[in-house]
Amino acid sequence: MHVTHDPAAASAEMIGFDQFLSVDIRVGTIVEALPFPEARKPAYKLLIDFGPAIGRKRSSAQITEHYTLEELSGMQVAAVVNFPPRQIGPVMSEVLTLGFPDAAGKVVLVRPSADVPNGGRLF
């Protein structure tokens, strides 16, 4: 799967609603944010609580440009929870934390505009 960060790129091919539903995007609260000095690109290690059905999952995110470790703790974010785990250096990333590129290509996290229960599914 090719992912582009170019905002001028054409939209992806059309998909059916069932394909959309196969991507499980949930909301969770960051309960731990740590430095990730071993990462090739500046990143943080995150532990995100998705509620009792999914539990706590680890992620690595290249979000150091816009966020400090302190402000991430307690922040709700969106993540894909049904990708296979991926080894990123010494960290096993279990979910893909979602964001959009700003004008400079730096990640801005996808977050709900109000507090919602952890584990809620995007629809």
Side-chain angles (χ1 to χ4, degrees):
M1 172 167 84
H2 176 70
V3 177
T4 181
H5 298 293
D6 179 4
S11 64
E13 66 184 69
M14 298 291 281
I15 63 170
F17 191 67
D18 288 345
Q19 286 174 290
F20 168 73
L21 290 177
S22 70
V23 180
D24 193 357
I25 300 172
R26 304 285 181 127
V27 66
T29 299
I30 298 172
V31 295
E32 183 178 75
L34 299 171
F36 189 7
E38 307 89 351
R40 283 184 293 188
K41 295 182 180 177
Y44 294 140
K45 297 183 279 189
L46 306 175
L47 180 62
I48 306 170
D49 183 359
F50 292 97
I54 297 171
R56 293 178 169 197
K57 302 289 182 181
R58 298 202 175 278
S59 184
S60 167
Q62 295 174 8
I63 54 175
T64 59
E65 295 288 328
H66 289 294
Y67 306 96
T68 65
L69 293 170
E70 296 75 25
E71 70 184 307
L72 288 168
S73 184
M75 183 182 291
Q76 285 195 302
V77 294
V80 176
V81 299
N82 66 331
F83 283 151
R86 184 174 167 206
Q87 190 75 41
I88 301 175
V91 172
M92 184 61 74
S93 185
E94 300 172 292
V95 298
L96 175 64
T97 306
L98 299 174
F100 290 106
D102 68 7
K106 305 303 181 189
V107 178
V108 175
L109 291 169
V110 174
R111 306 179 341 174
S113 58
D115 285 344
V116 295
N118 286 337
R121 187 170 181 170
L122 180 76
F123 58 87

